[in-house]
C-alpha cells in the first residue's frame, strides 16, 4: 500500500515555482523538463481539437435549428436549400467532427501528457506523434468534406467515407505504438490506475476501428449482423475509448489537485477490470426489439446491468478521495470541471443501465431521450473532463497562466447551464415523445408537433454551449500566443478558502 | 501483477475478445449466411423467392438514401406486437427478422423515429408521384412535417412541348415553379423513389408466425 501512496500523483504544493528547495526542487525541474518535452505534440492535438470543436458546434446548431424550423424563412435561402447543408448531412458531419475531430484529439493530447508525467520520462518519438496529428486532421477533414459532399456511409459513428478511414486508422496506430514505447521508458515499479485505463484505451480502439472497417466497409457482413457489429463498435468507442481516457484524467487530476492519494487501490482495480469485461458487451442493447435473435440482445442487457459494479466502484472511490476537500471546487477550475464530469459519468451510466431494460427501452428507444443520453456521456462527462484537464495542462506547457478568471467562469457556467438545459429538454421531451409514439391513437403528425417546443429548447441550450466554446477558444488562443499571466500563480475562480496549496 | 505490460495486455485481450466473440463472431456464425426462401404464401408463384432481390435502380437508390442521411430520422425495423405500437400504427404486419435484410448491401435499421418507420413504406404509399412531391416539398403534403426538403434532387426547367410526364403536379403556390417551368426528378430522385417503393417486408417467412 505504501508503494501505491508513493507513486500516486503527488500533491502540487511542491509545484509552486517559488517555494521548494533540495530534493523537491530537482523534482520540480524534472517535471518542467517533462512538460517541455510534451509541448509541441500536446498543443498540436489540443489546438486542432478546439478548431474542430468550433466547427462541430456550428454544425450542431445548424442541425438543431433545422429540426424545428426545416424551412426557416428568415435565413438565407442557401442555408435551407444547399445540398451540402441538408439536415441528413449536417447531422453526421456534426457527430464526426466532435467525436473524431474534437474529442479524440483532446483525448490523445491528454493521454500524451499523462503518459509522460506518469512514466516520469521525457517524451521520446515526437515525430511519430506529429505525423499522427497531421494524418488525423487530414483524415477528419477529408471525412467531413466527404460526408457533406454526399459520401456518408450512414453507418452511425462510422459515417466517414471508406477513402478517409484508413488514414485515421494509421494515425491511431502510431499513437498506440508511441504509447507502448513511452511505457517502456518508465522506471520499474508501480503502474498507476490512470495508466491502466490509458493502455486499455490505446489497445482496444485500434482493434475496434480495424475490425469494424473490415466487417462493414471492406467485406460487409450480411443483413442485420451489420446492425450488431455497428453497435458493438459505436458503443465501445464510448465505453472502451472515451470512457477510459476520461476516467484516467479523473483518477489523475482529482488526487493531484486536492493533494491526497486515491482512496483505494483495490477499488481502482475492481473498477477497471469490471469495466473492461462488462462495457465491451453492451452494444446489443441498442437493438432491443430489432431483427436479431433475442439472446444477443439479452446478453447485452445483462452486461449493461452488471455495469453498476464499475460505475459505483469508481464513484465511491472518487467520492471518498474528495471527502473533506469539496471546498476546493470553489476555487479550482480544473477540479470543478473534472468533478462535474465524474459526477455526470456516474449519472449517465446509471441512466444507460436503466435504458437497457426492455420496459423503459420500449418508451425511450427511437426518441430524443437517447440523443440526450449520448450528449450526457460525450459532453457532460467526457468533454467537461477534457476542459478540466486542459485548464491544468496548458499553463504548464506554454509557461504562462490563464489570462482571466472571468473567461474561465463564462466558459464553465455557459457550458454547465447549456448542457444541463439540453439534458433536461431532451430527457423530458424524449419521454413525452416516447409515450405518444407508443399510443397508436395519437396521429404521427401530432407526435412530431409535440416535440417542437423541446427542440427549440435544445437549440437555445446549443447557443449557451456555443458561447462557452467561443470564450474558451479565445482564451486558448491567448495562451498559444503567450498572452497569459506570468507563470507561478495559477488563475483561480477565487482565492482558496484555506491557504493550503495544490489548486490549479 | 498489474505492473507488467504483458499481464495487463493479456487481461485486456481476454475481456475484449469475450465480447467480440459473443457479439460479433457467434451471431455471424449462427445467422450470418442466411439464404432467400421460396415464398411460403399459398398465393405465391412457384419459384418466387423472398426477400426479393435488390438490383438496378433500387440499389442505386439505396446509395442516395445513405448519402442524404435518411437513417437519422427513419427506422427500418418493426418491433414485435407486444413492444411499442409499431404494428398497431400499421408500419408492418409482423416483426422484422434477420432474413428480411439479407439482400441489401447496407442495412438501415435506424435508431430514431423523428419520422415514421419505412420498413413497409412501399406497401403504404405506392404512387411515385406522391413521393416526388413529398421529397420536393414535404410541407405541401403535411403542413406540420419537419422533414428537410430534397429540392436539390429535382430540376426546374422550361416546359418543352407537352411537358414531362414526370413533372410534379398540383404544387401549392409557394412551391410551384414560375409559369412556363416545370419540376422534374433527377436520376437520383428516381432511384431514391424506386428504393422507397421497393420497401415491402410484408411477405410471410417460415420463421415468423403471423402477428408476431
Amino acid at each position: 500500500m505504501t508503494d501505491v501512496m508513493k507513486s500516486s500523483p503527488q500533491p502540487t504544493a511542491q509545484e509552486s515555482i517559488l517555494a521548494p528547495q533540495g530534493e523537491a526542487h530537482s523534482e520540480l525541474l524534472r517535471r518542467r523538463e517533462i512538460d517541455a518535452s510534451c509541448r509541441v505534440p500536446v498543443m498540436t492535438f489540443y489546438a486542432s481539437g478546439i478548431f474542430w470543436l468550433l466547427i462541430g458546434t456550428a454544425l450542431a446548431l445548424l442541425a438543431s435549428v433545422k429540426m424545428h424550423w426545416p424551412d426557416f424563412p428568415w435565413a438565407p435561402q442557401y442555408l435551407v436549400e444547399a445540398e451540402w447543408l441538408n439536415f441528413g448531412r449536417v447531422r453526421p458531419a456534426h457527430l464526426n467532427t466532435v467525436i473524431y475531430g474534437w474529442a479524440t484529439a483532446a483525448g490523445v493530447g491528454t493521454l500524451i501528457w499523462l503518459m509522460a508525467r506518469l512514466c516520469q520520462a521525457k517524451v521520446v518519438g515526437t515525430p511519430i506523434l506529429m505525423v499522427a496529428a497531421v494524418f488525423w486532421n487530414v483524415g477528419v477533414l477529408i471525412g467531413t468534406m466527404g460526408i457533406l459532399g454526399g459520401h456518408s456511409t450512414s453507418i452511425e459513428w462510422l459515417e466517414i467515407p471508406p477513402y478517409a478511414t484508413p488514414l485515421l486508422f494509421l494515425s491511431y496506430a502510431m499513437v498506440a505504438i508511441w504509447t507502448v514505447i513511452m511505457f517502456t521508458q518508465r522506471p520499474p515499479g508501480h503502474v498507476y490506475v490512470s495508466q491502466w485505463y490509458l493502455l486499455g484505451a490505446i489497445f482496444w480502439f485500434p482493434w475496434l476501428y480495424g475490425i469494424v472497417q473490415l466487417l462493414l466497409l471492406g467485406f460487409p457482413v450480411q443483413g442485420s449482423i451489420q446492425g450488431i457489429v455497428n453497435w458493438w463498435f459505436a458503443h465501445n468507442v464510448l465505453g472502451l475509448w472515451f470512457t477510459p481516457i476520461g476516467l484516467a484524467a479523473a483518477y489523475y487530476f482529482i488526487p493531484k489537485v486536492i493533494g491526497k492519494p486515491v482512496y483505494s487501490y483495490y477499488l481502482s482495480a475492481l473498477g477497471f477490470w469490471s469495466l473492461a469485461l462488462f462495457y465491451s458487451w453492451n452494444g446489443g442493447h441498442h437493438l432491443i426489439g430489432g431483427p436479431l435473435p433475442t439472446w444477443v440482445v439479452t446478453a447485452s442487457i445483462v452486461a449493461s446491468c452488471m455495469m453498476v459494479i464499475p460505475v459505483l466502484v469508481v464513484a465511491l472511490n472518487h467520492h471518498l478521495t474528495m471527502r473533506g476537500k469539496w471546498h476546493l471546487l470553489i476555487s479550482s477550475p480544473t477540479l470543478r470541471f473534472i468533478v462535474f464530469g465524474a459526477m455526470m459519468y456516474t449519472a449517465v451510466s446509471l441512466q444507460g443501465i436503466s435504458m437497457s431494460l426492455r420496459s423503459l427501452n420500449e418508451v425511450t428507444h427511437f426518441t430524443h431521450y437517447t440523443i440526450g443520453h449520448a450528449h450526457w456521456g460525450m459532453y457532460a462527462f467526457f468533454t467537461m473532463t477534457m476542459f478540466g484537464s486542459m485548464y491544468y495542462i496548458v499553463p504548464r506547457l506554454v509557461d504562462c497562466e490563464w489570462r482571466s478568471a472571468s473567461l474561465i467562469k463564462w466558459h464553465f457556467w455557459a457550458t454547465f447551464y447549456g448542457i444541463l438545459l439540453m439534458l433536461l429538454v431532451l430527457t423530458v421531451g424524449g419521454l413525452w415523445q416516447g409515450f405518444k409514439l407508443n399510443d397508436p391513437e395519437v396521429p404521427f403528425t401530432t407526435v412530431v408537433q409535440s416535440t417542437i417546443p423541446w427542440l427549440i429548447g435544445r437549440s437555445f441550450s446549443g447557443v449557451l454551449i456555443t458561447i462557452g466554446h467561443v470564450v474558451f477558444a479565445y482564451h486558448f488562443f491567448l495562451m498559444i500566443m503567450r498572452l497569459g499571466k506570468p507563470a507561478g500563480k495559477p488563475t483561480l475562480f477565487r482565492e482558496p478558502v484555506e491557504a493550503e496549496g495544490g489548486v490549479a | 501483477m498489474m505492473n507488467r505490460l504483458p499481464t495487463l495486455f493479456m487481461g485486456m485481450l481476454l475481456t475484449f475478445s469475450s465480447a467480440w466473440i459473443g457479439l460479433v463472431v457467434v451471431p455471424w456464425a449462427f445467422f450470418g449466411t442466411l439464404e432467400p426462401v421460396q415464398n411460403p404464401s399459398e398465393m405465391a408463384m412457384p419459384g418466387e423467392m423472398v426477400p426479393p432481390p435488390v438490383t438496378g435502380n433500387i440499389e442505386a437508390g439505396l446509395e442516395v438514401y445513405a448519402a442524404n442521411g435518411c437513417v437519422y430520422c427513419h427506422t427500418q425495423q418493426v418491433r414485435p406486437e407486444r413492444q411499442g405500437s409499431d404494428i398497431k400504427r400499421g408500419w408492418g404486419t409482423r416483426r422484422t427478422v434477420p432474413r428480411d435484410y439479407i439482400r441489401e448491401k447496407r442495412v438501415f435499421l435506424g435508431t430514431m423515429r423523428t419520422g415514421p418507420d419505412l420498413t413497409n413504406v412501399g406497401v403504404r404509399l405506392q404512387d411515385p408521384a406522391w413521393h416526388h412531391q413529398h421529397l420536393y416539398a414535404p410541407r405541401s403534403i403535411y403542413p406540420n412535417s419537419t422533414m428537410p426538403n430534397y429540392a436539390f434532387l429535382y430540376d426546374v426547367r422550361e416546359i418543352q412541348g407537352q411537358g414531362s410526364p414526370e413533372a410534379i403536379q398540383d404544387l401549392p403556390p409557394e412551391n410551384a415553379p414560375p409559369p412556363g417551368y416545370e419540376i422534374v426528378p433527377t436520376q437520383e430522385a428516381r432511384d431514391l423513389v424506386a428504393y422507397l417503393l421497393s420497401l415491402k417486408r410484408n411477405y410471410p417467412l417460415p420463421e415468423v408466425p403471423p402477428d408476431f
Side-chain angles (χ1 to χ4, degrees):
Chain A
M1 231 13 220
T2 47
D3 178 44
V4 176
M5 313 286 268
K6 208 170 19 179
S7 51
S8 295
Q10 294 296 310
T12 43
Q14 295 117 319
E15 290 216 8
S16 157
I17 289 197
L18 309 168
Q21 298 292 322
E23 197 185 331
H25 186 65
S26 69
E27 172 64 23
L28 176 68
L29 285 179
R30 257 188 76 67
R31 283 188 191 162
R32 283 174 63 84
E33 270 175 26
I34 292 172
D35 288 345
S37 73
C38 297
R39 178 180 300 141
V40 175
V42 173
M43 289 302 282
T44 308
F45 273 101
Y46 275 0
S48 63
I50 291 167
F51 167 78
W52 286 114
L53 178 68
L54 293 179
I55 304 280
T57 311
L59 292 167
L61 264 186
L62 187 59
S64 178
V65 170
K66 283 188 170 216
M67 277 205 97
H68 49 81
W69 295 332
D71 283 340
F72 51 128
W74 38 267
Q77 274 308 291
Y78 64 84
L79 273 183
V80 181
E81 283 173 5
E83 182 173 351
W84 64 283
L85 289 177
N86 192 271
F87 175 81
R89 299 191 185 181
V90 172
R91 192 247 193 232
H94 156 64
L95 186 135
N96 284 275
T97 46
V98 294
I99 292 300
Y100 297 106
W102 151 249
T104 297
V108 170
T110 306
L111 171 138
I112 295 169
W113 187 83
L114 286 176
M115 279 309 282
R117 275 289 189 104
L118 287 167
C119 293
Q120 302 172 46
K122 283 200 279 186
V123 169
V124 291
T126 304
I128 305 180
L129 292 173
M130 296 311 290
V131 174
V134 171
F135 276 25
W136 189 262
N137 283 292
V138 172
V140 174
L141 180 67
I142 297 177
T144 307
M145 285 166 56
I147 291 169
L148 292 174
H151 299 165
S152 161
T153 65
S154 269
I155 300 170
E156 289 191 65
W157 292 63
L158 192 69
E159 285 93 346
I160 290 184
Y163 49 75
T165 45
L167 207 54
L168 296 177
F169 180 79
L170 265 180
S171 162
Y172 203 90
M174 283 187 260
V175 175
I177 291 166
W178 174 86
T179 308
V180 174
I181 295 175
M182 200 59 209
F183 193 70
T184 60
Q185 304 289 311
R186 77 191 195 287
H190 180 72
V191 177
Y192 185 60
V193 47
S194 293
Q195 282 168 298
W196 307 337
Y197 280 107
L198 295 174
L199 288 169
I202 215 76
F203 175 75
W204 290 319
F205 189 79
W207 195 354
L208 273 172
Y209 202 51
I211 291 178
V212 80
Q213 284 185 39
L214 281 180
L215 295 186
L216 291 182
L217 302 176
F219 311 94
V221 287
Q222 188 194 52
S224 54
I225 308 276
Q226 288 181 11
I228 185 74
V229 173
N230 185 179
W231 286 108
W232 164 79
F233 164 74
H235 201 93
N236 280 341
V237 176
L238 191 67
L240 298 180
W241 168 236
F242 292 120
T243 300
I245 291 195
L247 290 182
Y251 264 116
Y252 184 87
F253 288 110
I254 293 176
K256 188 81 175 168
V257 174
I258 67 176
K260 80 187 228 209
V262 165
Y263 177 75
S264 162
Y265 173 84
Y266 301 101
L267 285 181
S268 309
L270 177 63
F272 176 75
W273 289 113
S274 52
L275 178 120
L277 182 60
F278 298 130
Y279 220 143
S280 50
W281 277 84
N282 275 8
H285 69 212
H286 288 264
L287 295 162
I288 294 173
L292 290 167
T294 310
W295 67 261
V296 182
V297 175
T298 304
S300 284
I301 296 176
V302 173
S304 306
C305 293
M306 295 304 284
M307 277 301 290
V308 80
I309 297 174
V311 169
L312 290 187
V313 161
V314 168
L316 191 66
N317 211 4
H318 287 164
H319 184 86
L320 292 174
T321 307
M322 275 301 290
R323 199 168 45 174
K325 297 284 182 180
W326 294 102
H327 59 277
L328 293 176
L329 289 179
I330 298 170
S331 48
S332 163
T334 297
L335 199 62
R336 201 186 286 180
F337 274 99
I338 289 190
V339 168
F340 176 71
M343 286 173 164
M344 290 294 108
Y345 170 69
T346 311
V348 71
S349 305
L350 295 176
Q351 185 199 31
I353 292 166
S354 71
M355 288 166 73
S356 77
L357 302 174
R358 286 192 168 86
S359 45
L360 180 58
N361 185 276
E362 185 181 358
V363 179
T364 62
H365 202 16
F366 307 130
T367 70
H368 293 292
Y369 190 92
T370 314
I371 309 295
H373 178 67
H375 287 87
W376 204 321
M378 274 314 297
Y379 197 92
F381 160 49
F382 186 78
T383 294
M384 293 301 256
T385 306
M386 285 303 110
F387 287 147
S389 309
M390 289 176 169
Y391 276 118
Y392 190 93
I393 295 172
V394 172
R396 286 165 172 77
L397 302 186
V398 298
D399 287 328
C400 56
E401 299 293 341
W402 294 98
R403 187 180 180 93
S404 150
S406 19
L407 287 180
I408 308 180
K409 269 183 212 159
W410 270 91
H411 178 209
F412 181 79
W413 291 116
T415 51
F416 173 86
Y417 283 118
I419 189 63
L420 289 186
L421 176 65
M422 182 189 293
L423 300 183
L424 179 76
V425 294
L426 290 180
T427 302
V428 179
L431 282 175
W432 188 257
Q433 181 191 12
F435 282 119
K436 284 192 185 301
L437 269 176
N438 281 354
D439 178 357
E441 303 302 315
V442 180
F444 193 84
T445 48
T446 310
V447 183
V448 173
Q449 275 301 295
S450 74
T451 60
I452 302 266
W454 305 103
L455 294 176
I456 292 175
R458 192 255 301 266
S459 288
F460 182 70
S461 76
V463 172
L464 285 177
I465 289 174
T466 308
I467 293 171
H469 289 173
V470 170
V471 167
F472 178 61
Y474 170 68
H475 210 179
F476 182 83
F477 177 73
L478 292 181
M479 291 296 273
I480 296 182
M481 303 307 285
R482 308 266 169 110
L483 290 172
K485 293 196 296 198
K489 199 167 170 305
T491 306
L492 302 175
F493 285 130
R494 63 179 73 168
E495 287 313 306
V497 182
E498 52 188 83
E500 191 178 345
V503 264
Chain B
M1 187 280 266
M2 308 261 308
N3 294 337
R4 294 188 54 241
L5 196 58
T7 329
L8 279 170
F9 274 177
M10 191 53 69
M12 291 166 190
L13 181 72
L14 288 174
T15 48
F16 183 86
S17 38
S18 75
W20 181 64
I21 291 167
L23 292 183
V24 177
V25 178
V26 174
W28 191 13
F30 271 54
F31 55 97
T33 51
L34 297 172
E35 299 284 340
V37 291
Q38 160 74 36
N39 187 338
S41 162
E42 284 167 13
M43 278 133 41
M45 316 267 238
E48 184 193 333
M49 304 301 272
V50 285
V54 175
T55 51
N57 275 17
I58 301 175
E59 203 168 14
L62 184 147
E63 304 274 359
V64 182
Y65 191 92
N68 295 298
C70 308
V71 71
Y72 300 106
C73 294
H74 297 282
T75 52
Q76 288 189 34
Q77 53 175 310
V78 176
R79 288 183 288 179
E81 173 70 51
R82 62 181 188 281
Q83 259 175 293
S85 65
D86 302 18
I87 289 176
K88 293 192 198 78
R89 281 189 182 276
W91 288 341
T93 50
R94 59 165 176 83
R95 71 165 299 173
T96 47
V97 293
R99 201 186 306 273
D100 284 315
Y101 304 89
I102 58 175
R103 299 276 204 174
E104 284 134 86
K105 68 175 180 184
R106 187 156 298 155
V107 172
F108 304 108
L109 300 180
T111 49
M112 185 70 187
R113 284 177 175 166
T114 304
D117 183 84
L118 299 181
T119 308
N120 287 295
V121 68
V123 180
R124 292 201 297 276
L125 297 155
Q126 303 190 345
D127 178 9
W130 184 93
H131 282 285
H132 284 302
Q133 183 185 340
H134 186 240
L135 287 166
Y136 181 76
R139 276 156 291 287
S140 72
I141 295 181
Y142 299 116
N144 288 336
S145 166
T146 54
M147 187 168 116
N149 72 63
Y150 287 88
F152 61 83
L153 294 176
Y154 294 83
D155 289 329
V156 181
R157 67 174 193 201
E158 220 169 328
I159 298 177
Q160 312 278 326
Q162 294 292 308
S164 163
E166 288 182 305
I168 301 177
Q169 309 294 326
D170 308 325
L171 280 168
E174 63 270 27
N175 302 110
Y181 285 79
E182 61 181 359
I183 292 159
V184 290
T186 61
Q187 187 55 40
E188 282 190 307
R190 286 190 206 106
D191 292 340
L192 180 59
V193 170
Y195 173 71
L196 292 173
L197 293 177
S198 81
L199 296 176
K200 295 175 180 171
R201 294 165 178 127
N202 61 341
Y203 44 81
L205 282 176
E207 63 265 45
V208 212
D211 299 328
F212 182 69

